[in-house]
């Protein structure tokens, strides 16, 4: 069963607008972590934001915020005030057993974001 | 603080050869994980090393192996290369149990 689902293969947004990238996950482990990474065409995976399953508040990092809805098993990434440099692939990933034992990440298929001027 | 480094950045090999890729984690990080990224299969977990021990392994054939040294640097080896091994190989380091940071990757082309 697919554990991370990103249903938007591609998204378009106008510069300076906000955009939400969807991610749903499936796990029976009560302890897990959710990650978002950005991958520009150069290939490097850039860490954006992390949310632990026990975190009470939604994670935020600058223009990035994670809309974590535990009951719905969703962890959507919100990018505010999009910039041209935000154009890239975005991957959602999950680490089960988040309190130790394995660092294995399971990735979704990604969403290609294009920011238009 | 220096990020995760991977060497070499690009490699071209022929079928049947073997290859060794290197990953130096962020200072203080003891866990190193390796991933293979291809257009068809996406990002797939290869293995994870923590304190010189393989802690987890993905579903890859035995031609894929790795190790970790006492300074936490890690190498992965692919023997008897096949065309399908052409991919971007990424390593990630972590403390662990907090954020994971990736290196720039090694792009392997098998001819």
């Amino acid at each position: 069963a697919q554990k991370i689902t990103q249903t938007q293969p591609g998204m378009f947004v106008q510069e300076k607008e906000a955009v939400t990238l969807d991610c749903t996950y499936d796990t029976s482990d009560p302890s897990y972590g959710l990650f978002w990474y950005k991958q520009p065409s150069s290939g490097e995976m850039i860490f954006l934001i992390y949310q632990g399953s026990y975190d009470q508040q939604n994670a935020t990092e600058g223009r990035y915020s994670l809309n974590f809805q535990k009951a719905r098993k969703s962890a959507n990434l919100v990018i505010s005030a999009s910039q041209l440099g935000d154009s890239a692939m975005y991957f959602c990933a999950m680490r089960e057993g988040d309190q130790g034992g394995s660092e294995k990440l399971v990735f979704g298929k990604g969403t290609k974001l294009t920011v238009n001027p | 603080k220096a990020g995760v480094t991977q060497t070499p950045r690009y490699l071209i090999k022929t079928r049947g050869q073997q290859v060794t890729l290197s990953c130096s984690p962020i200072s203080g990080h003891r866990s190193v994980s390796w991933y293979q990224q291809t257009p068809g299969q996406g990002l797939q977990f290869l293995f994870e090393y923590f304190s010189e021990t393989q802690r987890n392994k993905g579903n890859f054939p035995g031609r894929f192996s790795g190790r970790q040294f006492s300074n936490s640097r890690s190498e992965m080896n692919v023997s008897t290369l096949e065309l399908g091994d052409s991919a971007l190989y990424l390593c990630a380091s972590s403390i662990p149990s907090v954020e994971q940071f990736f290196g720039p990757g090694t792009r392997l082309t098998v001819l």
Side-chain angles (χ1 to χ4, degrees), chain A residues 47-94:
Chain A
F47 168 79
L48 295 178
I49 199 165
Y50 163 81
Q51 178 88 40
S53 59
Y54 294 119
D55 293 343
Q56 296 297 311
Q57 295 193 325
N58 286 345
T60 60
E61 291 282 354
R63 294 187 299 113
Y64 304 106
S65 60
L66 200 152
N67 184 1
F68 181 45
Q69 298 188 45
K70 198 168 181 176
R72 298 178 64 180
K73 292 189 174 179
S74 74
N76 298 339
L77 176 71
V78 181
I79 305 175
S80 64
S82 297
Q83 302 172 355
L84 296 178
D86 293 336
S87 293
M89 284 292 289
Y90 287 80
F91 291 95
C92 179
M94 178 174 65

Side-chain angles (χ1 to χ4, degrees), chain A residues 35 37 39 42-45 47 50 91 95 98-105 107, chain B residues 31 33 35 37 43 45 48 55-56 88 90 94 96-103:
Chain A
F35 298 76
Y37 290 91
Q39 188 176 43
S42 62
E44 183 170 3
M45 295 286 280
F47 168 79
Y50 163 81
F91 291 95
R95 178 177 61 201
D98 206 40
Q99 297 306 307
S102 173
E103 292 294 284
K104 175 184 175 181
L105 294 178
F107 285 86
Chain B
S31 172
S33 300
Y35 296 84
Q37 186 177 25
L43 282 147
F45 172 79
E48 180 212 346
R55 194 157 70 160
N56 208 341
L88 179 66
L90 293 159
S94 59
S97 293
V98 286
E99 299 91 344
Q100 285 192 41
F101 297 93
F102 282 80

Side-chain angles (χ1 to χ4, degrees), chain B residues 15-82:
Chain B
R15 280 179 297 174
Q17 287 186 309
Q18 75 166 18
V19 67
T20 299
L21 312 181
S22 180
C23 172
S24 292
I26 293 170
S27 176
H29 286 194
R30 297 170 62 193
S31 172
V32 174
S33 300
W34 289 89
Y35 296 84
Q36 181 197 66
Q37 186 177 25
T38 59
Q41 299 298 317
L43 282 147
Q44 294 185 285
F45 172 79
L46 280 155
F47 27 64
E48 180 212 346
Y49 287 88
F50 176 73
S51 294
E52 301 178 65
T53 301
Q54 187 181 87
R55 194 157 70 160
N56 208 341
K57 190 177 190 305
N59 189 25
F60 278 83
R63 300 186 296 109
F64 291 81
S65 62
R67 58 179 176 168
Q68 187 180 34
F69 302 96
S70 58
N71 61 358
S72 294
R73 189 178 71 85
S74 177
E75 289 181 346
M76 68 163 282
N77 184 276
V78 188
S79 62
T80 319
L81 284 166
E82 300 176 0

